[in-house]
């Protein structure tokens, strides 16, 4: 393949209503597929929701009864992986002949995880966010090294870093070493600074970057974008509401980009630097 069309879906969850959010997901994935997309990326925590602005009754050393009730609702909105919601996404991806990377809140035992799921078109892999940021830590558990997925497709190797994982240098390097060529970044970070981060990852990793952000009026202001391996913006950043960003990737751009910089090859200096990664599954 010389090129592929990809899509970043920018849309907001219906908080505490996963069934309604799944309907929105289907709508936008169908829109992306109608636009020719072969790969569709949904935002961070799209199924299950990102409860921006909520404190769940937490202060240092105490929790409130009202906060526990809020958490009950949030936990009920989280999904099992695999489960009926992932089965529906897999069916959708198969019907539309698209690959899908979807941000979800995963429920496993008594713990919730912020997770990216890979459908090609069946559910083939997941990545749990390694380090929840700030107050996310009282909602979500930490992922381990066993879910740092690199998923091969006909048009390149997919990987995912969720929101501020993109600021973790050793995580980025470990994913570059897995050969990730299309870097999916589900997020809720709507700051202008995020654009610099996404362009840096594209330049550093010599990979395409697809950043899909939520848009919730008054809370999360989008900023989804698609970038090529030389840091050039192909689409976005989108700021005007819910939308589907489309871009055609010239797959030769990655080979052109590694001509003068390869982070795990001729620019890596393995005689000086060694990275050790523990990919043990922790139960």
């Amino acid at each position: 393949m010389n090129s592929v069309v990809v899509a970043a879906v920018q849309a907001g969850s219906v908080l505490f209503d996963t069934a309604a959010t799944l309907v929105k997901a289907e709508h936008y994935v169908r829109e992306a597929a109608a636009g020719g997309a072969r790969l569709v990326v949904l935002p961070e925590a799209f199924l299950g929701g990102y409860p921006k602005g909520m404190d769940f009754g937490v202060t240092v050393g105490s929790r409130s009864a009202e906060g526990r009730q809020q958490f009950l609702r949030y936990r009920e909105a989280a999904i099992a992986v695999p489960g009926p919601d992932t089965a529906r996404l897999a069916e959708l991806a198969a019907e539309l002949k698209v690959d899908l990377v979807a941000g979800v809140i995963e429920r496993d035992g008594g713990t919730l995880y912020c997770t990216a799921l890979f459908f090609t078109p069946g559910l083939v892999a997941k990545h749990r966010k390694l380090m929840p940021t700030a107050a996310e830590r009282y909602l979500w558990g930490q992922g381990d090294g066993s879910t740092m997925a690199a998923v091969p497709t006909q048009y390149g190797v997919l990987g995912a870093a969720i929101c501020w994982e993109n600021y973790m240098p050793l995580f980025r390097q470990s994913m570059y070493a897995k050969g990730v060529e299309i870097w999916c970044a589900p997020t809720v970070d709507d700051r202008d600074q995020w654009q610099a981060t996404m362009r840096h990852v594209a330049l550093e990793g010599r990979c395409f970057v697809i950043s899909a952000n939520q848009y919730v009026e008054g809370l999360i202001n989008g900023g989804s974008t698609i970038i090529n391996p030389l840091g050039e913006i192909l689409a976005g950043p989108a700021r005007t509401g819910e939308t589907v960003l489309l871009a055609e990737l010239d797959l030769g751009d990655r080979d052109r980009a590694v001509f003068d910089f390869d982070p795990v090859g001729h620019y890596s200096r393995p005689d000086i630097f060694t990275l050790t990664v523990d990919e043990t599954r922790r139960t």
Side-chain angles (χ1 to χ4, degrees):
M1 298 178 66
N2 296 320
S3 67
V4 65
V5 177
V6 301
V9 170
Q10 178 167 290
S13 305
V14 183
L15 194 60
F16 304 131
D17 192 340
T18 298
T21 304
L22 190 59
V23 171
K24 288 188 72 172
E26 179 171 347
H27 168 79
Y28 283 116
V29 173
R30 289 188 181 279
E31 181 178 331
R38 174 70 186 275
L39 169 65
V40 184
V41 181
L42 295 173
E44 177 182 15
F46 191 64
L47 289 185
Y50 190 86
K52 186 170 182 178
M54 298 179 65
D55 62 17
F56 290 85
V58 172
T59 57
V60 176
S62 68
R63 270 70 57 200
S64 71
E66 295 79 9
R68 291 186 188 277
Q69 186 63 27
Q70 283 184 333
F71 182 76
L72 170 64
R73 295 184 66 199
Y74 190 58
R75 190 174 186 280
E76 288 174 341
I79 70 170
V81 179
D85 299 297
T86 64
R88 179 63 196 122
L89 290 176
E91 291 168 1
L92 180 66
E95 175 195 342
L96 299 175
K97 297 181 173 59
V98 299
D99 298 328
L100 180 63
V101 177
V104 306
I105 300 303
E106 175 191 1
R107 182 177 65 247
D108 186 4
T111 300
L112 304 182
Y113 298 92
C114 182
T115 300
L117 303 179
F118 296 81
F119 300 86
T120 65
L123 177 61
V124 295
K126 69 180 179 183
H127 166 60
R128 286 176 172 172
K129 194 173 187 178
L130 297 179
M131 196 65 208
T133 300
E136 294 171 357
R137 295 173 197 169
Y138 60 71
L139 294 175
W140 306 334
Q142 296 178 343
D144 61 37
S146 70
T147 69
M148 293 163 52
V151 178
T153 70
Q154 290 182 335
Y155 48 84
V157 178
L158 309 180
I162 304 170
C163 206
W164 277 26
E165 285 186 316
N166 286 273
Y167 290 121
M168 299 174 70
L170 301 185
F171 176 66
R172 294 199 309 271
Q173 183 66 14
S174 66
M175 296 304 289
Y176 300 153
K178 289 174 177 280
V180 171
E181 296 168 303
I182 300 179
W183 184 281
C184 303
T187 189
V188 294
D189 191 334
D190 61 3
R191 301 169 305 147
D192 289 338
Q193 296 95 317
W194 184 250
Q195 303 304 316
T197 299
M198 294 295 90
R199 296 184 78 177
H200 173 81
V201 170
L203 278 165
E204 179 182 69
R206 286 329 203 223
C207 54
F208 295 98
V209 170
I210 306 170
S211 179
N213 200 350
Q214 290 211 30
Y215 185 93
V216 180
E217 189 169 359
L219 285 175
I220 306 170
N221 192 35
S224 300
T225 190
I226 302 172
I227 303 166
N228 78 6
L230 288 176
E232 298 164 342
I233 296 174
L234 302 178
R239 296 289 189 191
T240 57
E242 296 192 338
T243 189
V244 174
L245 284 186
L246 294 167
E248 184 173 2
L249 309 186
D250 179 346
L251 299 180
D253 279 349
R254 186 170 187 274
D255 289 330
R256 298 180 187 103
V258 295
F259 170 53
D260 52 1
F261 185 87
D262 180 358
V264 293
H266 59 75
Y267 227 97
S268 64
R269 291 304 304 273
D271 55 320
I272 301 174
F273 303 110
T274 301
L275 175 62
T276 301
V277 183
D278 186 346
E279 297 193 39
T280 306
R281 182 171 181 264
R282 310 287 183 176
T283 58

